[in-house]
Amino acid sequence: KKYKKSESGQIIKKKDSFLHQFIWLTKRYFQIKLNDRGNIALLVAQPLIIALLISIIFSDFQLGVIFLMAIASIWFGVSNAAKEIVGEQSIYKRERMFNLWIDSYILSKISVLSVISFIQLLIFESIIFFRFRLFSSEGFDEIYQQSFGGALFFMLFLAISATLLGLLLSAIFDNTEKVMTVVPIVLMPQIMLAGVITK
C-alpha cells in the first residue's frame, strides 16, 4: 500500500490505481486456478465428456445438437462462476477494508473466467465440429456446422453472459450450498422455455 502525509502530518493511506489492482488481482486469481490441479482436470473433463456424449447420441448435425451447444455454453459460464464470490467472502471483506476497488475485483473474475470458458469451448467445439464434418452419416454428407470460428464466438458470448449471471448468484447468497441449489432453478426455465423442446 502507498501512504502520504497530510498537511497536519497525519499519515493517510493512498488507494492503488484501478489498473494496478486489476492486474494484481487477475494474476493472483489466475495463479490460484493454476495451482488447483484437481479443479483444472474437472474443468477440462466437462467439455470432453459432454461433447463426446453428443457425438455418440446424434448421428447427424441437427437442431438438438445446436441447442445442446448453447446449453453447454451457458452451463460452463454459470457453473464456473457460481462459487467464486461467495467462496471468498472473508477475503473480500478484509481487502475491501484496505481500499479494494469493486470494479477491479469483478473484472478480474470476469477476465479469468472468460479465459477458462474459452478453453473449455475450444475443446468442446473442436470435437463437435470435426465429428459432424469428418464423420457425417449417410444421407447427411453436407449437413454440418459450417463455421468453426462463428460458432466458437457465439458460444463464448453465451458463456461470458452466463458468467455474469453466475457471479450475480454468487454475490446474492451467503454460502455455496445455497448458490448451487439455486443454479438449476435459474437454468431449467431457460431450457424449457427456449422453444426447442416444445412450442
Side-chain angles (χ1 to χ4, degrees):
K1 297 294 176 187
K2 298 175 183 177
Y3 298 88
K4 64 179 182 180
K5 282 189 176 182
S6 64
E7 293 179 357
S8 61
Q10 184 180 6
I11 296 175
I12 302 173
K13 206 162 23 180
K14 188 179 178 182
K15 198 170 186 178
D16 289 333
S17 69
F18 167 83
L19 183 61
H20 180 271
Q21 282 196 11
F22 169 72
I23 294 172
W24 181 78
L25 287 168
T26 302
K27 286 181 178 178
R28 184 184 70 173
Y29 185 37
F30 192 70
Q31 193 60 51
I32 290 171
K33 288 294 185 183
L34 285 178
N35 291 339
D36 191 348
R37 301 296 174 84
N39 188 51
I40 290 176
L42 290 173
L43 290 174
V44 172
Q46 282 185 39
L48 277 172
I49 293 170
I50 297 171
L52 288 173
L53 282 172
I54 293 173
S55 300
I56 293 169
I57 293 169
F58 293 92
S59 59
D60 56 88
F61 193 76
Q62 54 184 272
L63 181 60
V65 177
I66 300 171
F67 182 57
L68 288 174
M69 289 167 66
I71 294 301
S73 304
I74 295 171
W75 171 252
F76 294 151
V78 172
S79 63
N80 291 345
K83 295 181 180 179
E84 294 306 314
I85 295 178
V86 69
E88 53 182 40
Q89 284 188 42
S90 58
I91 298 173
Y92 169 77
K93 289 176 180 177
R94 183 171 66 250
E95 293 184 348
R96 183 70 179 140
M97 293 172 62
F98 291 95
N99 298 322
L100 173 71
W101 288 87
I102 296 178
D103 294 347
S104 60
Y105 175 77
I106 295 298
L107 283 175
S108 69
K109 295 286 186 188
I110 295 171
S111 299
V112 175
L113 291 170
S114 296
V115 171
I116 293 172
S117 292
F118 175 77
I119 294 170
Q120 287 180 305
L121 291 170
L122 185 61
I123 296 169
F124 179 84
E125 170 61 8
S126 297
I127 296 172
I128 295 296
F129 182 81
F130 290 109
R131 157 65 180 88
F132 291 104
R133 177 142 193 171
L134 300 180
F135 303 99
S136 57
S137 58
E138 187 177 350
F140 295 90
D141 297 338
E142 296 183 1
I143 301 178
Y144 55 83
Q145 182 186 298
Q146 300 293 323
S147 172
F148 179 92
L152 182 61
F153 174 80
F154 178 70
M155 289 192 296
L156 182 61
F157 178 81
L158 285 178
I160 293 174
S161 301
T163 296
L164 301 180
L165 176 60
L167 289 174
L168 174 64
L169 295 175
S170 188
I172 291 174
F173 296 96
D174 56 3
N175 63 67
T176 55
E177 288 77 15
K178 289 180 182 177
V179 175
M180 298 315 293
T181 301
V182 170
V183 165
I185 299 173
V186 172
L187 294 183
M188 286 305 295
Q190 298 187 59
I191 297 172
M192 292 186 287
L193 301 175
V196 176
I197 297 174
T198 184
K199 291 184 179 180

